[in-house]
Amino acid sequence: MSIDPVRKRERMVREQIEARGVRDPEVLRAMRTVPRHRFVQEALAAQAYDDRPQPLGFGQTISQPYIVAFMTELLELKPGMKVLEIGTGSGYQAAVLAEMGADVFTVERVKELHQQARDRLARLKYLFVKLKLDDGTLGWPEEAPFDRIIVTAGGPEVPRPLVDQLADDGILVIPVGPAKRTQMLKVVRKERGLVRAEDRLGVMFVDLVGKHGWEE
Ligand code: SAH
C-alpha cells in the first residue's frame, strides 16, 4: 500500500467513526488495530479504508467501517462475553470482536468465504475465533446461550432461533426489512425473559439467506 496502513486507520477512525458519534474507547481501539486491508482482495487493499463497503466476491460485501463500529458499539461488549456472529464474510467483524476480548463464534453459509476467513484469521493470529459452515439463521444451538448476537446480513424478520439462543440480559443487533432496499438496524434485548426491540438506523445489507431468512 502506498500510505502506511496505521495512519490510514487513524484517519478512518477520526473522520468516519468518531466524527459520526461512536465513543466507546474499546471499539475505537479495535478499529485502530485490526488490519482491514488484509480482509479485502489484494487488488483492493489501497481502498480498504475508504468510507464505503468493499466487495468480497460471491456477491457479498464487507460493511463500511462506520457501520462495523456502530454495530459493535450497540453490542455493549465486555471482555469474555460469548458472542455469536451470523455472516462471517471476510472475518473482519469477527476480528474486531475478538480484538475486544470477546469469545467469538461465527457462522457463514458460503463455503469459499468460510474457508478464506478461517485461513485469514489464523494467519493474523486470531486463533480463538470459532467458525462454522452452516445456515446461521438456525444459530449455533450446541454453544447457546450467547451474551451477544450480531447479524451482518439483512432478513425479513428476526430469526426465532437467535432470540431463543440469546442469554438473559443479552443483546442482539440485526438489520431487518425488505431485500435490496433500506432495512432497519434493530437492537433486541432480553430482560428477565422479556424481549423488546428498538430501531436504531436505516442500513443496507446483503441478504440473509436461510430457513429463517430469504429463500435461496
Ligand atoms: N461480517 C462480514 C460481512 C458480512 S456480508 C465481514 O466482516 O466481512 C454478509 C455475509 O452473510 C455473507 O458472507 C453471506 O454469505 C452471509 N450469509 C447470508 N445468509 C447467511 C446465513 N443464513 N447464515 C450464514 N451466513 C449467511
Side-chain angles (χ1 to χ4, degrees):
M1 264 200 326
S2 50
I3 303 178
D4 176 9
V6 174
R7 286 179 49 200
K8 283 198 169 186
R9 280 201 292 283
E10 275 299 327
R11 197 166 159 194
M12 170 190 83
V13 167
R14 207 172 52 240
E15 296 179 359
Q16 302 174 33
I17 299 173
E18 282 187 296
R20 293 190 179 113
V22 174
R23 290 285 175 268
D24 184 332
E26 285 305 302
V27 174
L28 300 176
R29 190 186 58 74
M31 297 299 294
R32 275 195 196 97
T33 308
V34 179
R36 182 169 164 96
H37 64 288
R38 303 282 302 271
F39 290 81
V40 299
Q41 294 151 25
E42 239 171 85
L44 302 180
Q47 64 186 54
Y49 295 99
D50 291 359
D51 191 12
R52 57 184 170 88
Q54 298 291 336
L56 280 181
F58 307 93
Q60 307 302 328
T61 57
I62 162 173
S63 302
Q64 183 186 2
Y66 167 65
I67 295 295
V68 173
F70 183 64
M71 289 175 80
T72 306
E73 183 172 63
L74 290 177
L75 288 175
E76 302 176 19
L77 264 186
K78 292 183 193 70
M81 279 185 169
K82 202 165 173 178
V83 181
L84 175 66
E85 180 197 23
I86 308 306
T88 311
S90 68
Y92 178 67
Q93 174 76 70
V96 169
L97 298 169
E99 194 61 57
M100 292 179 68
D103 185 16
V104 184
F105 296 76
T106 180
V107 186
E108 171 59 53
R109 65 182 288 275
V110 177
K111 188 172 182 192
E112 290 84 350
L113 291 174
H114 162 76
Q115 288 171 339
Q116 283 170 18
R118 190 189 55 202
D119 296 348
R120 179 182 286 129
L121 288 167
R123 235 181 0 256
L124 296 174
K125 303 283 182 288
Y126 292 103
L127 299 172
F128 300 111
V129 174
K130 275 73 73 182
L131 301 97
K132 175 159 109 149
L133 176 68
D134 203 351
D135 172 6
T137 68
L138 304 172
W140 193 325
E142 302 79 12
E143 290 292 344
F146 296 95
D147 301 305
R148 302 289 186 259
I149 302 179
I150 176 170
V151 183
T152 61
E157 58 187 22
V158 181
R160 181 64 208 233
L162 300 185
V163 176
D164 291 343
Q165 291 172 33
L166 189 61
D168 212 37
D169 293 321
I171 300 177
L172 159 64
V173 175
I174 180 172
V176 176
K180 288 158 193 91
R181 283 193 282 136
T182 305
Q183 302 128 15
M184 186 47 72
L185 189 62
K186 290 182 182 283
V187 176
V188 180
R189 289 168 192 273
K190 196 187 262 187
E191 279 163 11
R192 278 168 265 111
L194 227 67
V195 177
R196 61 189 168 85
E198 268 170 55
D199 292 351
R200 294 308 300 264
L201 181 71
V203 288
M204 271 230 324
F205 275 82
V206 298
D207 292 354
L208 180 68
V209 179
K211 180 152 188 260
H212 301 270
W214 300 108
E215 276 178 36
E216 222 161 318

